[in-house]
Amino acid sequence: MAITMTPSAVERVKSFLANRGKGLGLRLGLKTSGCSGMAYVLEFVDELNADDEIYEVDGVNIIIDAKSFIYLQGIELDYVKEGLNEGFKFNNPNAKGECGCGESFTV
C-alpha cells in the first residue's frame, strides 16, 4: 500500500521546506505516547538513517523508517483548516481506535 498526500498537504510541506531553505524531505514516524499507545511524528530530514525508505509523493520526499512503515502503510497525510485551527491530519487505515483527545491511536 502506498503513502499518499492531499494537494493541500503537498503544498504545505513544499512551503515549509522552501522557507526552511534545506532538507531532504519530511519524516513521518511513530513514537510511543498518549493513552492509546502511539503518536505520529513529523520532522524535517537533513540526513538519512540506515533503515530509512524514501517515498516520493508529488515532488515531496516522505521518509519513513522500516519499523514505522508497517503501521503507516496506506496512510494519507492531509492538511486541514477548521476555523482558527489548522494542521496535519492522518488518515491511517491501520488505526483501530484513537484516544478521546485525538493525540494518539492504537493498531
Side-chain angles (χ1 to χ4, degrees), residues 15-66:
S15 173
F16 280 143
L17 288 169
N19 288 339
R20 190 169 182 261
K22 64 177 182 174
L24 301 173
L26 187 70
R27 177 176 307 283
L28 174 57
L30 299 172
K31 66 178 180 178
T32 303
S33 178
C35 43
S36 288
M38 291 189 212
Y40 298 105
V41 175
L42 285 176
E43 60 189 10
F44 295 112
V45 175
D46 293 325
E47 293 182 26
L48 295 175
N49 297 326
D51 66 340
D52 284 341
E53 294 288 333
I54 300 174
Y55 301 89
E56 191 271 327
V57 181
D58 294 329
V60 173
N61 288 330
I62 301 296
I63 294 104
I64 303 175
D65 65 272

Side-chain angles (χ1 to χ4, degrees), residues 1 20 22 24 30-31 34 36-37 48 52 56 62 68-69 71 73 75-76 82 85-86 89 94-95 97 100 102:
M1 297 177 93
R20 190 169 182 261
K22 64 177 182 174
L24 301 173
L30 299 172
K31 66 178 180 178
S36 288
L48 295 175
D52 284 341
E56 191 271 327
I62 301 296
S68 296
F69 184 73
Y71 301 107
Q73 291 183 55
I75 196 168
E76 177 190 59
E82 297 172 343
N85 298 318
E86 61 183 275
K89 181 178 177 185
N94 304 299

